[in-house]
């Protein structure tokens, strides 16, 4: 999923770098004035995350990147100077911050180029590359420089820098990337906006009580609230919530409030709050990304289903029209062929009589195909009506057997009917069930008749009646079994001498489903096949 260009158009104006530089300057002053913990390094740093988000959202090419980077560097330098840093310190911190921002932008473009936080993969790629890895070089640089100049502890300085800047990119930059037009449109609904205000308000109140003057031991409520926000407000809500928690938790801990006030001193308090947000609450961002991804896949599935239903309806209409157009002329051909064969159109030779018989036979095959096509079209469109009533299954199987033995292809094949138990009465449409069983029996005779025996068996199952059509033919491979009920699929027998069109089983499946039943096959190559139909008991 690519970035919503229309959503970024408002912040992609030429003035965006200037406003970003001004915002960076203000955030730098605030951070250096109120959030310094380890020597001169701030534990709460939002300027870098803001710059990364806007840079990624508005980038237009190398020249734009150069101008944007220059303006952000000016904003950082101005903020450092206004906060009271010396010129040398300002230079060091500006270089370190630009390393941080540029590495984050570079890593995000390389490993998360779509900037798609609305998927687990996209969010993970962005967090690992831009938030976890990108701040490391700047943390090493600033730790070394402050150790060299001031004798500051290298590890304390580096880790404070890394935690603060990783948190800035993970929370502030993620919030900036999640702030799209689609998310804002969702909040136009008064109900959704009210829900967002209430949930974020409850979260703010809870964290004020936890990390504020009261320091109440109710930190356990934060995680359930975050999960609820992820479910209801998705990605934008979670990133906004993480931003609120970061400010209140780190700020409150630095002021000596909250659960870390008594156990830790100085910079350690801020570091514990940073760890809490990074490893305790930030993973909820992945939960929100997972929910966003599920929503998107669900929308695609629904759209695909609508397209498939429309295509199926169009196909059904086409089949019905073709079947109607075929039936009338074929009926005329059959009539003419019958007259020709009977000699009513004039004397005919033996060859002409055979040709007339062949004509009638072929025309009847086309007529049967037209009827099958019409049945398939009606079944798929829901136009087939079934009348469910108690149906004597053994009697129906016997009728099918008697009709099948009269077919020419059944010569030399024994067809048996087996009824296992009494009261084998199914709730079915007797006419449609006979059509289904007749089709299965005809197929068993045509394709499995080499075994010399076809068995029609009825038995009781726990909540219905099961009918099996068993043959001793060559059987079916697992691959062919998966394709059996596809329309117009004859499993490679198109060039064989066995007649068929490949729609009988597809029609049988639809007719059985309309009667509330199920159909399937069990077969092993070389051991025949068992086609089964299960229907509810009457």
């Amino acid at each position: 999923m690519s970035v919503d260009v229309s959503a970024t158009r408002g912040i992609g104006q030429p003035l965006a770098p200037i406003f970003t530089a001004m915002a960076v300057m203000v955030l730098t002053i605030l951070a250096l004035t109120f959030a310094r913990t380890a020597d001169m390094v701030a534990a709460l740093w939002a300027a870098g995350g803001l710059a990364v988000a806007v840079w990624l959202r508005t980038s237009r090419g190398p020249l734009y990147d150069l101008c944007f980077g220059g303006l952000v560097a000016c904003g950082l330098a101005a903020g450092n100077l206004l906060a009271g840093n010396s010129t040398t310190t300002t230079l060091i911190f500006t270089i370190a911050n630009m390393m941080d921002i540029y590495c984050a932008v570079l890593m995000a473009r390389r490993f998360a180029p779509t900037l798609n936080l609305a998927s687990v993969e996209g969010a993970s790629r962005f967090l690992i590359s831009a938030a976890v890895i990108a701040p490391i070089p700047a943390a090493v640089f600033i730790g070394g420089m402050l150790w060299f100049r001031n004798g500051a502890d290298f590890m304390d300085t580096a880790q404070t820098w890394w935690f603060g800047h990783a948190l800035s990119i993970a929370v502030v930059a993620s919030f900036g990337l999640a702030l799209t037009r689609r998310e804002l449109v969702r909040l136009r609904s008064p109900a959704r906006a009210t829900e967002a205000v209430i949930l974020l308000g409850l979260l703010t109140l809870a964290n004020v009580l936890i990390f504020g003057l009261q320091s109440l031991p109710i930190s356990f409520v934060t995680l359930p609230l975050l999960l609820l926000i992820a479910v209801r407000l998705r990605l934008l809500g979670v990133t906004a919530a993480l931003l609120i928690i970061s400010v209140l938790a780190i700020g409150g801990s630095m002021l000596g409030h909250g659960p870390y006030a008594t156990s830790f001193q100085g910079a350690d308090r801020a570091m514990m709050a940073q760890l809490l947000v990074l490893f305790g609450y930030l993973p909820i961002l992945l939960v929100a990304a997972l929910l966003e991804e599920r929503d998107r896949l669900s929308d695609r599935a629904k759209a695909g289903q609508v397209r498939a239903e429309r295509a199926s309806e169009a196909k059904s209409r086409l089949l019905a029209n073709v079947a109607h157009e075929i039936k009338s002329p074929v009926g005329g051909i059959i009539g003419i062929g019958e007259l020709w064969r009977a000699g009513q159109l004039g004397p005919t030779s033996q060859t002409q009589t055979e040709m007339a018989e062949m004509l009638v036979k072929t025309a009847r095959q086309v007529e049967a195909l037209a009827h099958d096509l019409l049945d398939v079209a009606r079944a798929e469109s829901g136009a087939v009506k079934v009348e469910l009533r108690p149906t004597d299954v053994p009697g129906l199987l016997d009728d099918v057997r008697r009709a099948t033995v009269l077919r020419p292809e059944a010569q030399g094949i024994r067809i048996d009917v087996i009824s296992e138990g009494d009261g084998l009465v199914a709730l079915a449409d007797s006419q449609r069930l006979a059509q289904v069983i007749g089709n299965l029996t005809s197929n068993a005779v045509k394709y499995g008749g080499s075994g010399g025996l076809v068995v029609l068996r009825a038995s009781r199952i726990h909540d219905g009646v099961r009918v099996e059509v068993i043959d001793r033919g060559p059987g079916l491979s697992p691959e062919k079994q998966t394709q059996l009920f596809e329309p117009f699929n004859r499993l490679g027998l198109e060039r064989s001498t066995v007649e068929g069109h490949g729609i009988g089983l597809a029609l049988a499946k639809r007719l059985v489903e309309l009667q509330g039943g199920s159909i399937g096959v069990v077969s092993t190559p070389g051991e025949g096949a068992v086609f089964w139909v299960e229907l509810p008991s009457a």
Side-chain angles (χ1 to χ4, degrees):
M1 176 181 170
S2 59
V3 178
D4 186 359
V5 177
S6 62
T8 65
R9 203 168 285 162
I11 63 173
Q13 300 299 325
L15 293 178
I18 298 175
F19 289 127
T20 304
M22 294 172 63
V24 164
M25 179 183 69
V26 173
L27 292 174
T28 299
I29 296 172
L30 292 174
L32 295 179
T33 303
F34 299 106
R36 285 181 175 176
T37 57
D39 194 61
M40 306 178 73
V41 178
L44 188 59
W45 187 261
L50 175 65
V52 169
V54 179
W55 197 338
L56 289 172
R57 291 280 295 269
T58 62
S59 179
R60 297 179 178 180
L63 182 59
Y64 179 89
D65 288 347
L66 183 63
C67 295
F68 190 97
L71 286 170
V72 169
C74 291
L76 289 166
N80 274 272
L81 291 171
L82 291 173
N85 284 343
S86 65
T87 305
T88 304
T89 303
T90 296
L91 180 62
I92 293 173
F93 275 89
T94 301
I95 293 173
N97 276 287
M98 288 309 300
M99 286 175 59
D100 203 18
I101 295 169
Y102 182 71
C103 285
V105 171
L106 193 65
M107 295 290 284
R109 287 176 177 174
R110 174 64 180 85
F111 296 102
T114 60
L115 303 180
N116 177 25
L117 300 187
S119 71
V120 176
E121 182 182 1
S124 300
R125 282 173 170 268
F126 178 77
L127 292 176
I128 293 173
S129 61
V132 175
I133 299 175
I136 294 177
V140 173
F141 171 79
I142 203 69
M145 291 301 297
L146 292 182
W147 169 79
F148 178 75
R149 293 187 72 245
N150 304 333
D153 185 272
F154 174 83
M155 287 303 300
D156 284 347
T157 305
Q159 75 179 11
T160 302
W161 178 282
W162 183 86
F163 284 137
H165 289 249
L167 193 61
S168 172
I169 296 171
V171 175
V172 180
S174 295
F175 176 73
L177 293 176
L179 194 63
T180 62
R181 178 165 305 195
R182 178 185 176 188
E183 296 293 335
L184 293 176
V185 166
R186 288 181 181 178
L187 295 177
R188 288 182 182 177
S189 166
R192 179 58 63 89
T194 302
E195 183 180 29
V197 170
I198 292 174
L199 289 176
L200 293 176
L202 288 174
L203 183 76
T204 303
L205 177 61
N207 280 270
V208 166
L209 295 176
I210 296 168
F211 297 101
L213 296 176
Q214 302 298 321
S215 297
L216 297 179
I218 57 171
S219 57
F220 59 88
V221 303
T222 300
L223 194 58
L225 278 173
L226 261 180
L227 288 171
L228 183 60
I229 290 171
V231 171
R232 299 302 303 167
L233 304 180
R234 295 296 194 265
L235 196 63
L236 182 61
V238 168
T239 53
L242 289 172
L243 191 59
I244 293 170
I245 293 174
S246 300
V247 172
L248 294 176
I250 299 173
S253 297
M254 290 172 59
L255 294 174
H257 304 299
Y260 307 123
T262 57
S263 303
F264 300 93
Q265 297 296 324
D268 291 339
R269 295 174 181 170
M271 185 185 70
M272 293 305 298
Q274 290 171 332
L275 288 173
L276 174 68
V277 178
L278 278 172
F279 301 107
Y281 300 142
L282 190 62
I284 304 299
L285 184 65
L286 298 180
V287 176
L290 179 63
L291 294 174
E292 290 274 12
E293 190 171 16
R294 187 204 65 176
D295 290 345
R296 189 171 67 254
L297 292 176
S298 177
D299 292 341
R300 289 181 181 177
K302 290 178 181 178
Q305 182 180 3
V306 170
R307 289 194 298 268
E309 289 174 352
R310 289 175 180 172
S312 179
E313 291 174 0
K315 181 195 68 176
S316 298
R317 288 195 298 269
L318 176 62
L319 288 178
N321 291 336
V322 170
H324 280 297
E325 293 297 326
I326 289 175
K327 286 175 62 178
S328 297
V330 167
I333 292 173
I334 292 174
I336 293 172
E338 294 282 4
L339 294 174
W340 184 21
R341 183 176 62 178
Q344 297 183 26
L345 299 181
T348 58
S349 63
Q350 183 178 355
T351 302
Q352 290 173 330
T353 301
E354 293 175 354
M355 292 177 64
E357 291 176 350
M358 186 180 300
L359 175 67
V360 172
K361 180 181 178 182
T362 303
R364 290 199 183 280
Q365 291 175 355
V366 176
E367 185 181 41
L369 172 61
H371 282 293
D372 287 345
L373 287 173
L374 193 56
D375 282 341
V376 169
R378 288 173 176 170
E380 290 189 348
S381 64
V384 173
K385 303 300 180 184
V386 293
E387 297 181 8
L388 302 180
R389 54 181 179 268
T391 301
D392 178 34
V393 174
L396 184 144
L397 295 184
D398 194 56
D399 291 341
V400 171
R401 183 193 68 81
R402 280 182 284 165
T404 305
V405 296
L406 299 177
R407 300 172 68 93
E409 61 267 24
Q411 298 300 318
I413 300 175
R414 195 175 88 224
I415 303 177
D416 293 341
V417 175
I418 300 176
S419 300
E420 298 179 349
D422 299 326
L424 297 174
V425 180
L427 187 64
D429 186 311
S430 58
Q431 180 183 355
R432 294 300 182 182
L433 182 57
Q435 182 180 354
V436 170
I437 303 302
N439 180 275
L440 296 178
T441 307
S442 174
N443 284 346
V445 168
K446 289 191 293 184
Y447 301 109
S450 58
L453 174 66
V454 172
V455 177
L456 309 182
R457 181 168 64 192
S459 59
R460 179 176 295 281
I461 55 176
H462 57 93
D463 59 349
V465 177
R466 181 183 176 101
V467 179
E468 295 176 340
V469 179
I470 307 168
D471 67 67
R472 295 180 179 176
L476 296 162
S477 67
E479 291 179 321
K480 290 184 177 181
Q481 291 180 43
T482 61
Q483 304 170 23
L484 266 177
F485 298 98
E486 296 177 359
F488 307 105
N489 190 342
R490 294 200 63 204
L491 306 180
L493 297 176
E494 292 82 359
R495 299 182 181 274
S496 69
T497 57
V498 181
E499 297 177 359
H501 309 291
I503 59 176
L505 288 178
L507 177 60
K509 183 176 187 295
R510 184 59 181 152
L511 291 177
V512 170
E513 290 172 347
L514 286 173
Q515 297 175 75
S518 56
I519 186 172
V521 63
V522 177
S523 180
T524 302
E527 299 181 10
V530 178
F531 283 83
W532 55 266
V533 174
E534 292 182 352
L535 292 166
S537 181

